[in-house]
Amino acid sequence: MNKVINVTTIRDVAKDANVSVATVSRVMNDNGYVNPETREKVKETIARLNYQPNSVARSLYKKESKTIGIMVPDIMNPYFPELVRGVEDYLIEKGFTTILCNTDEDPEKERLYLDVMKQRYVDGAIIVSNTLKRDLIDEYDMPIVALDRSIHENVPTFMVDNTVGAEQATQHLIDIGCKRIAHVRGPEHVENATARYEGYYKIMQQTNGFQEHCVVQGDFDQKQSAKAVKQLLQEQPEIDGIFAGNDIMALGALKGAESLGIKVPQELAIIGFDGIDLSSMTIPELSTMSQPIYEMSTQAADALMSLISGQTADETEHIYQPTLEWRQSTDRIRKEDN
Ligand code: RIB
């Protein structure tokens, strides 16, 4: 026999406390006058009857849900869960829950998730996107903060200086003695992938002499990078340094080198970009340009809270500096030093 589950409603509370539904609602939402004795009586009744307000009804009534949406392009890339972690840790402390939206950088999925957020009265969103356009965001009239990638100059943005980080990565390979340096770049349409390519290009132009055929497409993907690097090293065995535009492509480059029996760092030095936890767990441990992922994401969440509470953003662009994590995959000079 089906078990009957009694669910206490707001009407049950009102009847038991001998007040109107409107009074219970005012006590629940802490708005409008309720005399102290009545307030205490209603609160005691709610606790005794274990009344759990219907969150959907509450959202409809208050046009808010204490929920934030966070949109990321690829939940399979370990960078994004680390980014979401900072946002979620910050928001839960403020009494907000988080809805995770994986968009695959598909504009249709982005629009779908924006529709869902609007229908659920989500209070605001943190968005990582290179395809979302400003006019689409205006349609939704929702507080938004851009994280990792910019959307529009008027949208508060939290991201690293990708070009400078790439310049430092490339210069690091030169400093440890690399003579022929290649670059595994991310997708053409992703702005930070192009910014990192430009950082590599600038340093190569200034020093070693840029060679177009030393750049391969890794698409921010580990397997594609491994395949591209293997082919590159077979065609150009003189390459002795690789800067990969993110850590999972650098892991792919390690795999590509290993498949050809090439020793890292002795014969080939490899450096990535991001500083994901995984980069310190590989053999050899991966050198990388580490982003302040947790700090950037918690500060983006803080900015969104300010927007939701009606404060205007003091500035819109927040640029962070990546830092070199010098590990085994480029540990050459230190060996020759001693
Ligand atoms: O690894 C994923 C990449 O996409 C990271 O470098 C991050 O910057 C994101 O944009």
Side-chain angles (χ1 to χ4, degrees):
M1 187 174 84
N2 290 339
K3 185 179 174 196
V4 177
I5 300 171
N6 286 321
V7 177
T8 302
T9 68
I10 193 168
R11 283 174 186 70
D12 298 330
V13 172
K15 188 176 176 186
D16 188 288
N18 195 26
V19 297
S20 70
V21 167
T23 300
V24 176
S25 178
R26 281 200 297 274
V27 170
M28 289 296 299
N29 295 300
D30 199 17
N31 67 356
Y33 177 73
V34 178
N35 81 49
E37 278 174 40
T38 303
R39 180 179 297 279
E40 281 316 306
K41 184 168 68 169
V42 170
K43 284 184 171 181
E44 184 276 329
T45 307
I46 287 169
R48 180 163 39 81
L49 298 184
N50 190 28
Y51 167 57
Q52 301 290 334
N54 177 322
S55 59
V56 173
R58 177 186 167 84
S59 302
L60 287 171
Y61 173 76
K62 293 188 60 88
K63 297 284 187 288
E64 67 174 31
S65 61
K66 305 285 274 181
T67 306
I68 297 295
I70 178 163
M71 247 191 223
V72 297
D74 179 9
I75 52 173
M76 293 302 286
N77 181 323
Y79 171 86
F80 293 107
E82 290 190 29
L83 203 67
V84 172
R85 181 82 235 187
V87 171
E88 203 262 345
D89 282 353
Y90 184 93
L91 292 175
I92 203 76
E93 288 300 314
K94 301 290 182 186
F96 281 75
T97 53
T98 308
I99 296 178
L100 176 60
C101 309
N102 177 57
T103 64
D104 297 326
E105 293 188 272
D106 172 352
E108 287 311 307
K109 276 187 88 174
E110 288 180 330
R111 179 182 279 277
L112 167 71
Y113 276 123
L114 284 169
D115 287 339
V116 167
M117 289 190 210
K118 199 70 184 166
Q119 288 154 16
R120 305 281 175 89
Y121 295 108
V122 158
D123 299 295
I126 291 181
I127 297 179
V128 179
S129 173
N130 246 118
T131 44
L132 211 54
K133 298 293 176 251
R134 172 79 208 189
D135 52 358
L136 180 61
I137 290 175
D138 290 343
E139 269 182 52
Y140 288 87
D141 186 27
M142 183 197 305
I144 282 176
V145 167
L147 182 51
D148 176 62
R149 304 175 188 181
S150 64
I151 294 175
H152 188 274
E153 60 188 2
N154 295 338
V155 175
T157 302
F158 293 74
M159 59 191 282
V160 292
D161 190 327
N162 292 287
T163 306
V164 164
E167 290 172 17
Q168 291 170 354
T170 309
Q171 187 59 51
H172 173 63
L173 293 173
I174 292 169
D175 293 346
I176 64 170
C178 295
K179 300 298 179 206
R180 191 66 172 272
I181 299 170
H183 177 51
V184 187
R185 69 155 294 154
E188 303 281 343
H189 70 280
V190 179
E191 69 170 16
N192 62 22
T194 299
R196 294 170 196 170
Y197 163 79
E198 287 167 353
Y200 161 80
Y201 177 87
K202 178 182 170 187
I203 297 299
M204 295 306 287
Q205 279 285 78
Q206 288 172 352
T207 52
N208 286 38
F210 176 73
Q211 319 237 353
E212 187 61 47
H213 56 271
C214 286
V215 179
V216 291
Q217 181 55 260
D219 252 351
F220 278 166
D221 177 83
Q222 188 168 334
K223 290 190 171 70
Q224 172 148 344
S225 172
K227 188 176 169 205
V229 165
K230 180 176 179 182
Q231 184 178 343
L232 180 73
L233 295 174
Q234 285 170 323
E235 291 166 357
Q236 301 181 62
E238 67 279 10
I239 287 173
D240 61 357
I242 290 179
F243 162 44
N246 77 348
D247 284 346
I248 55 169
M249 292 194 298
L251 301 186
L254 284 173
K255 185 67 182 172
E258 187 266 341
S259 69
L260 298 172
I262 295 172
K263 292 186 185 65
V264 175
Q266 297 83 343
E267 298 168 322
L268 173 71
I270 296 175
I271 184 168
F273 198 111
D274 282 342
I276 58 173
D277 288 348
L278 198 56
S279 64
S280 64
M281 302 306 290
T282 52
I283 300 173
E285 292 174 5
L286 181 67
S287 293
T288 183
M289 294 309 298
S290 182
Q291 298 195 44
I293 300 172
Y294 196 83
E295 176 192 358
M296 213 164 56
S297 51
T298 51
Q299 290 183 359
D302 179 63
L304 184 63
M305 287 290 100
S306 300
L307 289 181
I308 290 170
S309 63
Q311 298 167 36
T312 53
D314 50 357
E315 54 185 305
T316 52
E317 203 171 55
H318 306 260
I319 304 297
Y320 297 78
Q321 295 307 315
T323 48
L324 173 61
E325 290 286 349
W326 188 349
R327 299 189 182 122
Q328 292 166 337
S329 69
T330 60
D331 192 4
R332 272 191 180 164
I333 286 184
R334 284 201 280 246
K335 280 202 174 26
E336 286 161 4
D337 277 356
N338 51 37

PDB file of all heavy atoms in Angstrom, residues 144-159:
ATOM      1  N   ILE A 144      25.104  39.823 -14.048  1.00  0.00           N
ATOM      2  CA  ILE A 144      26.047  38.846 -14.631  1.00  0.00           C
ATOM      3  C   ILE A 144      27.479  39.299 -14.416  1.00  0.00           C
ATOM      4  O   ILE A 144      27.799  40.494 -14.492  1.00  0.00           O
ATOM      5  CB  ILE A 144      25.762  38.671 -16.144  1.00  0.00           C
ATOM      6  CG1 ILE A 144      24.537  37.765 -16.333  1.00  0.00           C
ATOM      7  CG2 ILE A 144      26.968  38.077 -16.885  1.00  0.00           C
ATOM      8  CD1 ILE A 144      24.087  37.592 -17.745  1.00  0.00           C
ATOM      9  N   VAL A 145      28.346  38.320 -14.108  1.00  0.00           N
ATOM     10  CA  VAL A 145      29.784  38.567 -14.014  1.00  0.00           C
ATOM     11  C   VAL A 145      30.476  37.580 -14.951  1.00  0.00           C
ATOM     12  O   VAL A 145      30.105  36.410 -14.992  1.00  0.00           O
ATOM     13  CB  VAL A 145      30.278  38.366 -12.563  1.00  0.00           C
ATOM     14  CG1 VAL A 145      31.800  38.296 -12.502  1.00  0.00           C
ATOM     15  CG2 VAL A 145      29.760  39.494 -11.675  1.00  0.00           C
ATOM     16  N   ALA A 146      31.457  38.083 -15.721  1.00  0.00           N
ATOM     17  CA  ALA A 146      32.210  37.202 -16.636  1.00  0.00           C
ATOM     18  C   ALA A 146      33.462  36.713 -15.905  1.00  0.00           C
ATOM     19  O   ALA A 146      34.155  37.499 -15.234  1.00  0.00           O
ATOM     20  CB  ALA A 146      32.605  37.958 -17.896  1.00  0.00           C
ATOM     21  N   LEU A 147      33.748  35.434 -16.046  1.00  0.00           N
ATOM     22  CA  LEU A 147      34.907  34.841 -15.364  1.00  0.00           C
ATOM     23  C   LEU A 147      35.775  34.136 -16.408  1.00  0.00           C
ATOM     24  O   LEU A 147      35.239  33.454 -17.286  1.00  0.00           O
ATOM     25  CB  LEU A 147      34.411  33.846 -14.305  1.00  0.00           C
ATOM     26  CG  LEU A 147      35.435  33.126 -13.434  1.00  0.00           C
ATOM     27  CD1 LEU A 147      36.414  34.077 -12.789  1.00  0.00           C
ATOM     28  CD2 LEU A 147      34.710  32.275 -12.373  1.00  0.00           C
ATOM     29  N   ASP A 148      37.072  34.330 -16.333  1.00  0.00           N
ATOM     30  CA  ASP A 148      38.057  33.648 -17.182  1.00  0.00           C
ATOM     31  C   ASP A 148      38.093  34.193 -18.608  1.00  0.00           C
ATOM     32  O   ASP A 148      39.142  34.203 -19.237  1.00  0.00           O
ATOM     33  CB  ASP A 148      37.780  32.136 -17.220  1.00  0.00           C
ATOM     34  CG  ASP A 148      38.716  31.438 -18.173  1.00  0.00           C
ATOM     35  OD1 ASP A 148      39.932  31.494 -17.935  1.00  0.00           O
ATOM     36  OD2 ASP A 148      38.250  30.900 -19.188  1.00  0.00           O
ATOM     37  N   ARG A 149      36.963  34.634 -19.122  1.00  0.00           N
ATOM     38  CA  ARG A 149      36.898  35.161 -20.495  1.00  0.00           C
ATOM     39  C   ARG A 149      35.952  36.367 -20.489  1.00  0.00           C
ATOM     40  O   ARG A 149      34.921  36.334 -19.818  1.00  0.00           O
ATOM     41  CB  ARG A 149      36.370  34.101 -21.468  1.00  0.00           C
ATOM     42  CG  ARG A 149      37.193  32.819 -21.439  1.00  0.00           C
ATOM     43  CD  ARG A 149      36.604  31.725 -22.304  1.00  0.00           C
ATOM     44  NE  ARG A 149      37.313  30.467 -22.103  1.00  0.00           N
ATOM     45  CZ  ARG A 149      37.019  29.341 -22.751  1.00  0.00           C
ATOM     46  NH1 ARG A 149      36.041  29.317 -23.629  1.00  0.00           N
ATOM     47  NH2 ARG A 149      37.690  28.224 -22.524  1.00  0.00           N
ATOM     48  N   SER A 150      36.282  37.430 -21.219  1.00  0.00           N
ATOM     49  CA  SER A 150      35.427  38.627 -21.181  1.00  0.00           C
ATOM     50  C   SER A 150      34.257  38.443 -22.147  1.00  0.00           C
ATOM     51  O   SER A 150      34.346  37.709 -23.133  1.00  0.00           O
ATOM     52  CB  SER A 150      36.247  39.855 -21.589  1.00  0.00           C
ATOM     53  OG  SER A 150      36.661  39.709 -22.936  1.00  0.00           O
ATOM     54  N   ILE A 151      33.138  39.091 -21.812  1.00  0.00           N
ATOM     55  CA  ILE A 151      31.947  39.049 -22.663  1.00  0.00           C
ATOM     56  C   ILE A 151      31.711  40.424 -23.287  1.00  0.00           C
ATOM     57  O   ILE A 151      31.439  40.551 -24.472  1.00  0.00           O
ATOM     58  CB  ILE A 151      30.710  38.634 -21.834  1.00  0.00           C
ATOM     59  CG1 ILE A 151      30.864  37.175 -21.344  1.00  0.00           C
ATOM     60  CG2 ILE A 151      29.428  38.793 -22.643  1.00  0.00           C
ATOM     61  CD1 ILE A 151      29.751  36.727 -20.414  1.00  0.00           C
ATOM     62  N   HIS A 152      31.846  41.447 -22.439  1.00  0.00           N
ATOM     63  CA  HIS A 152      31.608  42.812 -22.927  1.00  0.00           C
ATOM     64  C   HIS A 152      32.248  43.778 -21.942  1.00  0.00           C
ATOM     65  O   HIS A 152      32.353  43.491 -20.753  1.00  0.00           O
ATOM     66  CB  HIS A 152      30.093  43.061 -23.007  1.00  0.00           C
ATOM     67  CG  HIS A 152      29.736  44.361 -23.668  1.00  0.00           C
ATOM     68  ND1 HIS A 152      29.679  45.538 -22.960  1.00  0.00           N
ATOM     69  CD2 HIS A 152      29.449  44.670 -24.955  1.00  0.00           C
ATOM     70  CE1 HIS A 152      29.369  46.527 -23.780  1.00  0.00           C
ATOM     71  NE2 HIS A 152      29.216  46.018 -25.003  1.00  0.00           N
ATOM     72  N   GLU A 153      32.661  44.945 -22.437  1.00  0.00           N
ATOM     73  CA  GLU A 153      33.386  45.890 -21.568  1.00  0.00           C
ATOM     74  C   GLU A 153      32.547  46.348 -20.371  1.00  0.00           C
ATOM     75  O   GLU A 153      33.080  46.737 -19.339  1.00  0.00           O
ATOM     76  CB  GLU A 153      33.839  47.093 -22.380  1.00  0.00           C
ATOM     77  CG  GLU A 153      32.710  47.859 -23.034  1.00  0.00           C
ATOM     78  CD  GLU A 153      33.216  48.929 -23.993  1.00  0.00           C
ATOM     79  OE1 GLU A 153      34.450  49.011 -24.152  1.00  0.00           O
ATOM     80  OE2 GLU A 153      32.388  49.660 -24.573  1.00  0.00           O
ATOM     81  N   ASN A 154      31.231  46.301 -20.465  1.00  0.00           N
ATOM     82  CA  ASN A 154      30.400  46.743 -19.339  1.00  0.00           C
ATOM     83  C   ASN A 154      30.037  45.610 -18.379  1.00  0.00           C
ATOM     84  O   ASN A 154      29.308  45.822 -17.413  1.00  0.00           O
ATOM     85  CB  ASN A 154      29.101  47.374 -19.863  1.00  0.00           C
ATOM     86  CG  ASN A 154      29.395  48.655 -20.649  1.00  0.00           C
ATOM     87  OD1 ASN A 154      30.462  49.255 -20.448  1.00  0.00           O
ATOM     88  ND2 ASN A 154      28.516  49.025 -21.558  1.00  0.00           N
ATOM     89  N   VAL A 155      30.509  44.410 -18.688  1.00  0.00           N
ATOM     90  CA  VAL A 155      30.220  43.283 -17.782  1.00  0.00           C
ATOM     91  C   VAL A 155      31.451  43.071 -16.900  1.00  0.00           C
ATOM     92  O   VAL A 155      32.564  42.892 -17.428  1.00  0.00           O
ATOM     93  CB  VAL A 155      29.931  41.987 -18.583  1.00  0.00           C
ATOM     94  CG1 VAL A 155      29.742  40.797 -17.632  1.00  0.00           C
ATOM     95  CG2 VAL A 155      28.682  42.173 -19.456  1.00  0.00           C
ATOM     96  N   PRO A 156      31.318  43.139 -15.560  1.00  0.00           N
ATOM     97  CA  PRO A 156      32.480  42.891 -14.687  1.00  0.00           C
ATOM     98  C   PRO A 156      33.167  41.573 -15.070  1.00  0.00           C
ATOM     99  O   PRO A 156      32.493  40.561 -15.242  1.00  0.00           O
ATOM    100  CB  PRO A 156      31.861  42.810 -13.291  1.00  0.00           C
ATOM    101  CG  PRO A 156      30.595  43.608 -13.382  1.00  0.00           C
ATOM    102  CD  PRO A 156      30.081  43.379 -14.774  1.00  0.00           C
ATOM    103  N   THR A 157      34.491  41.659 -15.253  1.00  0.00           N
ATOM    104  CA  THR A 157      35.236  40.495 -15.760  1.00  0.00           C
ATOM    105  C   THR A 157      36.405  40.172 -14.845  1.00  0.00           C
ATOM    106  O   THR A 157      37.123  41.085 -14.406  1.00  0.00           O
ATOM    107  CB  THR A 157      35.769  40.815 -17.186  1.00  0.00           C
ATOM    108  OG1 THR A 157      34.654  41.142 -18.022  1.00  0.00           O
ATOM    109  CG2 THR A 157      36.494  39.614 -17.769  1.00  0.00           C
ATOM    110  N   PHE A 158      36.596  38.896 -14.577  1.00  0.00           N
ATOM    111  CA  PHE A 158      37.711  38.424 -13.735  1.00  0.00           C
ATOM    112  C   PHE A 158      38.501  37.396 -14.545  1.00  0.00           C
ATOM    113  O   PHE A 158      37.983  36.328 -14.876  1.00  0.00           O
ATOM    114  CB  PHE A 158      37.178  37.810 -12.444  1.00  0.00           C
ATOM    115  CG  PHE A 158      36.507  38.814 -11.529  1.00  0.00           C
ATOM    116  CD1 PHE A 158      35.253  39.313 -11.835  1.00  0.00           C
ATOM    117  CD2 PHE A 158      37.170  39.286 -10.406  1.00  0.00           C
ATOM    118  CE1 PHE A 158      34.642  40.259 -11.005  1.00  0.00           C
ATOM    119  CE2 PHE A 158      36.571  40.239  -9.577  1.00  0.00           C
ATOM    120  CZ  PHE A 158      35.308  40.730  -9.878  1.00  0.00           C
ATOM    121  N   MET A 159      39.745  37.733 -14.904  1.00  0.00           N
ATOM    122  CA  MET A 159      40.542  36.838 -15.763  1.00  0.00           C
ATOM    123  C   MET A 159      42.019  37.144 -15.555  1.00  0.00           C
ATOM    124  O   MET A 159      42.391  38.135 -14.928  1.00  0.00           O
ATOM    125  CB  MET A 159      40.159  37.042 -17.241  1.00  0.00           C
ATOM    126  CG  MET A 159      40.373  38.445 -17.741  1.00  0.00           C
ATOM    127  SD  MET A 159      39.638  38.735 -19.369  1.00  0.00           S
ATOM    128  CE  MET A 159      40.845  37.968 -20.424  1.00  0.00           C
TER     129      MET A 159
END
